[in-house]
Amino acid sequence: MNEKILIEGLVSVIIPVYNSEKYVKEAIDSVLKQTYQNFEIIVVDDCSTDNSCQIIKKIDDQRIRLIKLDKNSGVAVARNIAIENAKGQYIAFLDSDDIWLEDKLLQQIKQMRKRIWFSYTAIGMVNEKNEIVKKHVPVPILCNYQLIQRNTLIATSTVMLDRNYIGDFRMPNMRSGQDYATWIKLLRNGETAHGIDQPLVLYRKRDNSLSSNKLKSIKQIWMIQRQQEQINPIRVFFNIISFSIHAFIKHFIRIKK
């Protein structure tokens, strides 16, 4: 049990921001439009040089807290500061360029009240012009330690965690890949995450995003699985092959649903 006094049923929505003036209002608005309204929004600005902060300040809702960092520290630091300041039983992550569908929180809260502590959902994909690239990227209803080694199935903006179960946690201080490193660590001891195979999040596919650098992603997977998880190198090699195949299908193969 977490030693902090957490507000039961409250969802702390964590949004790290860096130069997101084009999309951040739409991201925040997608939270404000949720059918489940028991939430707080913690926005951590990582020293943006554009108008992101000004845009956030103009959104009139007392549930929004804006924290500004003194220096650019990376998304892991931004998320961890938000986690430290969160009051809710539940932590939900939203990247500043992604969008939640209005029933996202409600569907996950219903699921997590069944003694589930780690929830994720399917996604749809949009491009920088908000055009639908892919309507539904399906996910399995269960994900364990073995599966997450081989598949990029958990999108960060879909994740909700119950802190009454997992207690205090932080993401590793990495410039990228810290989300995957967190999920695999949480599932290490035989735990299971539960998926909702509905596209409740619109993931924005951007040409200049960190995740678009596939060679860098492969290097991150190797380092996380070898150094953090100490998995056999031969097994990691085959995991990366599987990762690459699933990533190709996710981003480039259209699936009729």
Side-chain angles (χ1 to χ4, degrees):
M1 180 71 70
N2 198 321
E3 293 182 358
K4 293 182 179 179
I5 299 175
L6 304 176
I7 300 175
E8 184 176 357
L10 179 69
V11 180
S12 297
V13 182
I14 291 175
I15 307 178
V17 171
Y18 178 70
N19 289 351
S20 301
E21 63 180 5
K22 188 175 180 181
Y23 304 113
V24 67
K25 185 178 186 302
E26 188 173 15
I28 293 174
D29 283 346
S30 76
V31 181
L32 298 177
K33 293 175 182 176
Q34 290 294 301
T35 52
Y36 185 87
Q37 284 284 302
N38 188 17
F39 59 76
E40 63 174 353
I41 302 174
I42 306 173
V43 183
V44 180
D45 180 73
D46 194 17
C47 281
S48 294
T49 57
D50 64 1
N51 293 317
S52 294
C53 284
Q54 290 86 336
I55 291 169
I56 296 163
K57 289 177 181 178
K58 288 180 180 178
I59 303 174
D60 186 18
D61 195 298
Q62 293 184 349
R63 292 171 294 183
I64 301 172
R65 283 189 280 160
L66 174 61
I67 300 172
K68 298 177 67 176
L69 301 187
D70 294 331
K71 63 178 181 179
N72 182 264
S73 303
V75 67
V77 172
R79 287 180 179 143
N80 286 338
I81 288 174
I83 292 169
E84 291 168 6
N85 284 273
K87 300 175 182 178
Q89 173 185 355
Y90 302 105
I91 296 289
F93 299 95
L94 176 60
D95 288 346
S96 59
D97 53 356
D98 292 341
I99 303 166
W100 284 354
L101 274 64
E102 64 180 14
D103 282 339
K104 191 264 186 190
L105 288 183
L106 181 61
Q107 293 298 325
Q108 287 187 287
I109 288 293
K110 286 181 178 178
Q111 182 193 52
M112 296 186 79
R113 284 174 176 164
K114 300 175 183 178
R115 298 183 179 274
I116 289 171
W117 65 277
F118 187 155
S119 173
Y120 60 94
T121 81
I123 61 170
M125 287 186 176
V126 295
N127 61 20
E128 296 188 36
K129 298 179 181 179
N130 270 356
E131 298 168 335
I132 297 293
V133 175
K134 208 167 187 178
K135 289 184 178 180
H136 187 169
V137 180
V139 294
I141 61 172
L142 297 175
C143 177
N144 59 20
Y145 186 68
Q146 288 70 35
L147 180 57
I148 202 172
Q149 291 177 34
R150 308 188 305 270
N151 197 339
T152 59
L153 60 94
I154 299 179
T156 302
S157 291
T158 75
V159 169
M160 185 185 289
L161 302 171
D162 185 346
R163 292 200 289 175
N164 279 346
Y165 183 90
I166 66 174
D168 196 27
F169 77 99
R170 297 292 184 272
M171 288 191 168
N173 189 9
M174 304 162 57
R175 278 285 176 172
S176 57
Q178 70 290 137
D179 44 1
Y180 174 71
T182 302
W183 315 149
I184 194 170
K185 182 178 180 180
L186 289 174
L187 297 177
R188 181 191 296 159
N189 296 318
E191 302 285 2
T192 302
H194 292 249
I196 299 174
D197 192 22
Q198 299 177 38
L200 299 175
V201 174
L202 294 179
Y203 166 85
R204 194 173 306 277
K205 191 174 179 181
R206 298 171 65 182
D207 292 337
N208 64 343
S209 66
L210 286 172
S211 60
S212 66
N213 188 332
K214 302 309 174 188
L215 290 177
K216 189 173 183 179
S217 295
I218 289 172
K219 182 179 179 181
Q220 290 166 357
I221 294 165
W222 177 270
M223 290 177 62
I224 291 167
Q225 293 197 11
R226 284 291 299 131
Q227 296 179 12
Q228 175 181 296
E229 300 303 309
Q230 299 183 350
I231 299 171
N232 180 282
I234 296 175
R235 183 174 171 185
V236 176
F237 174 77
F238 285 105
N239 286 342
I240 287 174
I241 292 175
S242 178
F243 241 112
S244 301
I245 292 170
H246 284 101
F248 179 81
I249 293 171
K250 176 180 177 180
H251 288 275
F252 300 108
I253 303 297
R254 293 187 178 274
I255 300 174
K256 292 183 179 180
K257 188 77 176 177

